[in-house]
Amino acid sequence: MADTKFPPENNLPAGYEPPKVWTWEPGNGGAFANINRPIAGPTHDKDLPVGKHPLQLYSLGTPNGVKVTIMLEELLAAGHAGAEYDAWLINIGKGEQFGSGFVEVNPNSKIPALMDHQPKDGDKPLRLFESGSILVYLAEKFGAFLPTDLRARTEAMNWLFWQMGSAPFLGGGFGHFYSYAPMKIQYAIDRYAMEVKRQMDVLNRHLADHEFMAGSDYTIADMAIWPWYGRLALKDAYDDAGDFLSVDQYEHVQRWTKQIGERRGVQRGAMVNRTFGDPSTQLRERHDASDFELKTQDKIATA
């Protein structure tokens, strides 16, 4: 019987019909196809390095990774010396997130992952994964960037979890089909562009009446949202996506983006584990505060 709702000739590719049971075909096309797979667990044995600081970060300078390095640099800028950390580069393009040591820290094999070798309970090292969980943990460990007032804290948590739920539509949805998919699919691009513009409007309306996401205080909610939506507002995401989505029209997001971007902790955090862009902005690994002056990629290349 012919499928009148989804006639195969209208599918992409033309004639495609979903099988009754999906099976994986390695190398299914598009960026990252070489590391995508439908199962979890390690692919190879590899221990993680451990540096001199209690906090050991294993990450990459993607928006989710930048959230955590911004938080750590902001803590240090605020005088929390215990937030000193080692940041080790995890090259997800080479599948390093599937090493046995990394999987022990994050069974989901996604960056960022953090080990605290001096947790407050004095017990064995504590693993942390999921960027939102790491931000809350660090905020509570150091008593910073998460208000203690009930209403302000709740608002910060509201927006933190808004980001965690919304960004996949921006990155895995719009970003994937606009920049990474092996073909341009109008339906997918239109669907996710509409959602991302709605999200930008949510932010713009909120920031029209609030200096920061949780009100008058700069919090982990700002740190979580800025690497995703601030980067888009700066036209620094997914090729020409900023123009495609007319991001200049979101004036309050633009004001907030600029204000956050002027913070020293944000500027430093955005450099850590970065492997693209201007070499002077790439600090591929960070083990000491002096690394920002001595070990950026431009200096390493000319050493």
Side-chain angles (χ1 to χ4, degrees):
M1 182 177 179
D3 188 335
T4 57
K5 184 176 182 183
F6 299 107
E9 63 270 20
N10 291 346
N11 292 344
L12 188 63
Y16 170 75
E17 294 186 73
K20 290 189 179 298
V21 178
W22 180 85
T23 56
W24 178 46
E25 295 184 12
N28 61 347
F32 313 116
N34 64 315
I35 59 170
N36 289 338
R37 60 198 184 110
I39 58 174
T43 61
H44 58 281
D45 290 329
K46 185 177 181 180
D47 293 334
L48 289 175
V50 179
K52 63 183 179 180
H53 302 299
L55 296 175
Q56 297 291 304
L57 178 67
Y58 306 96
S59 192
L60 183 67
T62 66
N64 285 332
V66 167
K67 295 178 198 176
V68 177
T69 49
I70 285 176
M71 176 59 164
L72 290 165
E73 291 298 330
E74 290 282 18
L75 287 167
L76 291 169
H80 297 279
E84 273 291 349
Y85 67 104
D86 290 276
W88 303 92
L89 182 67
I90 299 296
N91 190 327
I92 62 175
K94 294 181 178 179
E96 292 179 356
Q97 69 275 32
F98 300 118
S100 56
F102 190 88
V103 174
E104 286 180 8
V105 181
N106 186 356
N108 196 38
S109 292
K110 302 288 185 182
I111 61 93
L114 180 73
M115 287 294 295
D116 185 354
H117 290 261
Q118 291 184 2
K120 278 190 171 182
D121 64 3
D123 206 338
K124 63 183 180 181
L126 184 64
R127 76 176 186 182
L128 292 120
F129 58 92
E130 289 296 326
S131 56
S133 175
I134 296 172
L135 290 177
V136 174
Y137 176 85
L138 292 173
E140 293 180 340
K141 178 181 177 75
F142 294 100
F145 302 115
L146 183 59
T148 56
D149 171 77
L150 173 64
R151 294 182 181 274
R153 177 188 172 88
T154 300
E155 190 70 356
M157 296 293 278
N158 286 342
W159 285 108
L160 173 63
F161 282 93
W162 175 87
Q163 184 279 316
M164 297 295 291
S166 296
F169 288 95
L170 170 53
F174 173 78
H176 177 80
F177 286 106
Y178 191 77
S179 291
Y180 302 137
M183 64 187 77
K184 299 296 183 185
I185 304 172
Q186 181 181 354
Y187 174 80
I189 291 172
D190 285 349
R191 172 66 182 88
Y192 285 110
M194 178 179 66
E195 174 60 16
V196 171
K197 286 187 69 66
R198 189 193 69 81
Q199 292 174 1
M200 291 291 279
D201 194 44
V202 168
L203 290 173
N204 201 57
R205 290 169 184 265
H206 178 72
L207 290 167
D209 301 315
H210 301 85
E211 182 179 7
F212 299 108
M213 295 309 304
S216 59
D217 292 329
Y218 173 64
T219 70
I220 57 174
D222 300 282
M223 299 178 201
I225 294 169
W226 189 87
W228 281 102
Y229 296 90
R231 183 173 167 231
L232 180 62
L234 293 169
K235 300 184 180 180
D236 190 30
Y238 310 119
D239 304 319
D240 60 351
D243 291 325
F244 180 74
L245 297 172
S246 304
V247 296
D248 290 331
Q249 74 184 79
Y250 304 108
E251 60 177 308
H252 305 297
V253 176
Q254 292 291 344
R255 183 272 307 164
W256 170 85
T257 295
K258 181 180 179 181
Q259 185 175 354
I260 300 297
E262 290 173 348
R263 298 180 66 93
R264 186 168 182 261
V266 172
Q267 293 171 357
R268 287 195 163 203
M271 294 172 64
V272 179
N273 296 143
R274 184 180 174 95
T275 59
F276 58 91
D278 184 340
S280 69
T281 69
Q282 298 180 35
L283 183 61
R284 297 191 176 183
E285 289 194 355
R286 188 266 193 216
H287 304 288
D288 187 85
S290 65
D291 291 347
F292 288 98
E293 284 71 45
L294 302 176
K295 295 185 179 180
T296 52
Q297 200 62 22
D298 60 325
K299 295 183 176 64
I300 290 177
T302 58

